[in-house]
Amino acid sequence: MDLSRLGAFVTKSITLEERPGNEPTRIVETRAGMLNAIGLANVGLQRFLKEKVPLLQKMPCPVIVNVAGHSVDDYTSASAAMDSLECVAGVELNVSCPNVKDGLVFGTDPKRLRSLVTEVKRVVPTKPLIVKLSPNVDDITATARAAVDGGADILSLVNTFTAMAVDINTRKPRLANVTGGLSGPAIKPIALHLVSRVYRSVAQSAEVPIIGMGGIQYWQDAVEFILAGASAVAVGTALFVDPATPNKIVDGLNQYLIEQKVDDLADLVGTLRLP
Amino acid sequence: MSQTRDQYAAEVVASIPLCQEHWKLVLHLQHFPTTAPGQFVQVACRDLELNYSQEQDLDWADDQPVQIDHAELSQRLAFLRRPFSLAGRRDSAGGVEIDLIHRVVGMGTDWLSRLKPGQKVQLIGPLGNRHTLPGQKSSDEAVAILVGGGVGIPPMIYLASQLAGRKAVAFCGAVTRNLLPLTITNAAVAPTATSIEPLYNIEEFATFGIPAVISTDDGSYGYQGFVTQALERYLDRYFMDEPARGRAIIYTCGPEVMMKRVAQIAEARRIECQVAVERAMACGMGTCQSCVIRVKKADPAAAPMPGSDWCYRLACTDGPVFLSTDLLW
C-alpha cells in the first residue's frame, strides 16, 4: 500500500504509563459495525519513544500521535514529548475514550475540556493540536466550542458511541468491559450529522478545520463528510475489512473532482446545499 | 516471519462438504509467501467489490412491505474478516493451492460455504507465528503427537503434511462422527470403542504415513470418550519413562477446554506442548489489540509491564502458537 498518498497516519492512543488494556473479550462484531473495549492498551511514552518512533520516522506520510491520559499532567507530559519529535506532524488528544474509567471525564465536561486543551496547547507550541470529540454528550457543539476556546487548532470527530451487546445464552455482556465503543458503517449517518452540526455551529466561524470520521468505508462516504464540513477524513474500522481502503478513497476522490470539475478538494468543504 | 504478508485475491478451486457443517475450501493463488503450520489467513467473508450503496428513500405504500435493498440491511453480511488456520498447501508451477477447513457457525462461514469454483476470495496472509517442528527441536527420534478437536483439526492436517517421514501420531476428537472433518478410509481396520492403538484409517494423516486415533464423545466412531482421555491412556502406555517423554512434543488445537486439558496432561508428564490458540480478532496484524491472551513473564522486571509477573500477548502476531507452560488461561 502506498502510504505516501495519504494525508496522515494517526497512531492509537499513547499514554504516559504503559497500559495492558482491558480483559478480553475486547471486540464484538455487530451489524455493520464493531464494538470494542480495548482499554487504551499501549506501550507507554518511554517505550513509544524507543520502540515506535524509529518506525514512525520511516513513514512516508505525516504522522499524528494520539495522546490519552487520566490527568492534566498525564496529557501535558506525553504531549510535550511529542511536540519535540521531528517525526510527529501533529498531536491529537483523545478526550473521549469510552472504555476506560474516567476516560470520558474531559470529553464530556466543557469547562474541564477547555482548561485541558489550554494546558496542552501551552506545551505543544510547534505542532497543530487536534482535539478528538466524543459523541457521548448531550451537546457536541458545547465541547467543540470548549476545545476551540482552549486553543485547539483542529477538531476531529467523532469517536465511538458507547454501546453494548449481550450473549442471550449466558445472559452476560459480550464484552468483558460490559460496554464498548461502536464504530463502523452503522454509525456513519450519526457521525455525519455531528460533523455537519459542529461545522455550522462552531468550526466554520472559528476557521478551525474538522477531520471527519465515523463509519467511512467508501469514497462516497468521504465526500459526504467533506460536503458536511470536514476538511479531511479518517478511516479506522474499515481498515480491518480492507487495508487498501484509504487508497481507494483517494482514487475515488480524485475521480469525483474530475467529474465535478472542481480543482481542489478544499473548494468542496462545507458546500452542502441546505434547503 | 510474516514480513511478506499482503492482501491476495484467491480463486476458489473447490468448496467441498466434509461432514455436517464442515467444509473444505480449496483456493488457488498465483503466488503466496512461504507458510508454515500454525499460520493463518484473514479471509473477507463477503464480496469486497460489493461497493457503496447510497442510503435509499423508502417507498411506503399501504398494505405493502417496505422494500429495503441496502446491502448492509437487506442481507446479513460479515463485516470483519475471519481468521482461518491453514489446513494444507500445495505448490506447483501454476501457483499455490491452500486448503481452509471451516465449520458453518455464522454469516461469514455461511457465505464461504456457498462459494463456487472460479469465484474470488480476498485474503490477508500469511499471519502469525509457526509451530516448531520436532526436527528443529531435538534428536531424530522425536515423536510428534498431534491433538486436534473439532474445527481445531485443520491446522493439525497441515502440520502432518510437514511431518512426513518423521515419527508422529494424530489424535482427533469430535462430538460425533458427523462432525468429524476427516476422511475415514474404508479399506482400513475400524477402531473399537476402547482402543487407543493408532491406525492408518484416516486419509488426511495416512497420506503422510501418520497413524491416528479418533475419538467421539458418543462413540459413533473410534474411541468412545474425549480425545484427551484417549491421549492420556496412550501416553501412559507408550510414554512411561522420562527419556520417551523427553522425545515427545505435543501439538494441539481445538476448543479451549480441550487444549487446557491437553496442556495439563503434557505438563504433568513434562512433555513439551505447543498450543495454537483461538481468539476473537479484528485485524490479525497486531493493530487492533483485541486478541490478547495472558502469558507468564520470565523476568517480571522486564518490559512489557515491568513489575508484573504476567502480560498480555497477541494471538495474531505473538501467537497463535504458544508453549503451554507460558500461558495463563
Side-chain angles (χ1 to χ4, degrees), chain A residues 18-205:
Chain A
E18 186 170 357
R19 289 178 55 93
N22 291 333
E23 284 284 319
T25 300
R26 294 179 174 184
I27 56 157
V28 174
E29 181 181 80
T30 61
R31 195 74 67 86
M34 185 179 106
L35 201 49
N36 88 82
I38 305 298
L40 300 179
N42 81 101
V43 298
L45 179 63
Q46 291 315 313
R47 285 181 61 204
F48 171 81
L49 295 174
K50 209 168 94 188
E51 297 168 24
K52 308 294 180 187
V53 164
L55 303 173
L56 297 179
Q57 285 168 336
K58 291 181 203 151
M59 290 291 287
C61 64
V63 172
I64 295 167
V65 175
N66 184 292
V67 169
H70 284 293
S71 65
V72 173
D73 283 350
D74 282 0
Y75 279 102
T76 51
S77 303
S79 302
M82 301 309 170
D83 191 68
S84 63
L85 294 173
E86 202 180 325
C87 67
V88 172
V91 176
E92 181 181 58
L93 294 189
N94 179 0
V95 292
S96 48
C97 181
N99 301 325
V100 296
K101 207 167 154 263
D102 306 333
L104 277 168
V105 168
F106 291 103
T108 55
D109 180 338
K111 276 193 191 129
R112 293 187 67 176
L113 179 61
R114 181 183 168 157
S115 66
L116 172 72
V117 174
T118 307
E119 293 300 318
V120 174
K121 186 59 201 170
R122 204 167 283 160
V123 296
V124 184
T126 69
K127 320 255 191 216
L129 180 63
I130 306 161
V131 177
K132 185 170 182 176
L133 299 176
S134 171
N136 303 305
V137 290
D138 290 339
D139 181 6
I140 198 168
T141 62
T143 44
R145 187 167 301 285
V148 169
D149 289 348
D153 301 300
I154 299 168
L155 297 174
S156 63
L157 61 149
V158 289
N159 206 321
T160 54
F161 291 78
T162 304
M164 70 188 289
V166 171
D167 183 326
I168 60 167
N169 295 315
T170 62
R171 302 189 193 178
K172 288 179 180 169
R174 303 228 4 228
L175 292 171
N177 190 55
V178 182
T179 58
L182 183 66
S183 62
I187 70 166
K188 195 204 82 179
I190 326 177
L192 182 64
H193 159 65
L194 294 174
V195 165
S196 175
R197 209 157 154 242
V198 168
Y199 177 72
R200 284 186 281 138
S201 304
V202 181
Q204 184 179 24
S205 54

Side-chain angles (χ1 to χ4, degrees), chain B residues 11-303:
Chain B
E11 189 179 308
V12 177
V13 176
S15 179
I16 306 156
L18 296 176
C19 61
Q20 190 184 322
E21 298 171 14
H22 289 71
W23 297 73
K24 177 156 95 171
L25 186 61
V26 183
L27 299 173
H28 177 268
L29 300 107
Q30 294 296 329
H31 160 76
F32 198 56
T34 313
T35 54
Q39 290 192 295
F40 66 99
V41 291
Q42 279 275 68
V43 180
C45 297
R46 63 188 292 169
D47 183 359
L48 287 188
E49 300 306 312
L50 180 80
N51 216 319
Y52 177 77
S53 56
Q54 173 84 43
E55 281 82 359
Q56 301 289 323
D57 293 340
L58 293 179
D59 287 328
W60 294 81
D62 288 345
D63 305 323
Q64 292 287 318
V66 175
Q67 294 298 313
I68 296 174
D69 42 20
H70 194 281
E72 301 280 358
L73 298 177
S74 59
Q75 51 187 302
R76 297 206 69 198
L77 282 174
F79 182 62
L80 299 172
R81 286 168 184 257
R82 306 288 193 260
F84 295 97
S85 57
L86 296 175
R89 173 187 178 129
R90 291 165 300 280
D91 288 76
S92 69
V96 182
E97 262 185 23
I98 61 170
D99 300 335
L100 306 180
I101 295 175
H102 66 95
R103 181 175 183 178
V104 176
V105 292
M107 54 193 163
T109 43
D110 181 67
W111 186 85
L112 284 184
S113 73
R114 291 166 198 276
L115 287 169
K116 300 277 177 279
Q119 280 185 265
K120 287 276 189 281
V121 177
Q122 298 289 334
L123 57 86
I124 295 173
L127 301 168
N129 67 356
R130 50 192 69 195
H131 281 295
T132 306
L133 300 184
Q136 296 159 240
K137 190 83 195 164
S138 55
S139 72
D140 291 342
E141 294 171 304
V143 183
I145 302 170
L146 284 51
V147 187
V151 83
I153 292 171
M156 297 295 115
I157 299 172
Y158 185 32
L159 178 58
S161 73
Q162 305 300 299
L163 293 172
R166 289 195 174 97
K167 275 191 194 167
V169 55
F171 285 76
C172 292
V175 172
T176 185
R177 178 176 178 152
N178 288 342
L179 290 172
L180 188 70
L182 293 169
T183 315
I184 297 165
T185 43
N186 293 324
V189 185
T192 67
T194 55
S195 172
I196 50 148
E197 293 307 318
L199 300 172
Y200 292 90
N201 60 335
I202 302 299
E203 192 180 298
E204 286 80 357
F205 297 106
T207 303
F208 304 110
I210 297 172
V213 176
I214 301 301
S215 74
T216 51
D217 298 0
D218 64 358
S220 50
Y221 188 80
Y223 182 86
Q224 180 169 6
F226 294 141
V227 71
T228 48
Q229 295 170 321
L231 171 72
E232 198 163 21
R233 286 188 51 199
Y234 177 83
L235 293 176
D236 286 344
R237 187 174 298 172
Y238 296 110
F239 290 84
M240 281 301 289
D241 57 27
E242 284 293 326
R245 289 172 176 179
R247 286 193 298 273
I249 301 181
I250 293 176
Y251 299 89
T252 188
C253 187
E256 192 155 306
V257 61
M258 181 208 89
M259 294 195 290
K260 281 182 182 172
R261 183 69 194 126
V262 171
Q264 282 176 354
I265 291 168
E267 285 165 33
R269 292 163 180 78
R270 277 184 280 184
I271 297 173
E272 178 182 323
C273 180
Q274 297 180 21
V275 179
V277 302
E278 185 180 41
R279 280 288 180 278
M281 57 179 69
C283 73
M285 292 176 277
T287 303
C288 74
Q289 303 279 317
S290 332
C291 59
V292 289
I293 188 160
R294 279 181 189 237
V295 300
K296 283 174 213 162
K297 280 169 57 187
D299 177 6

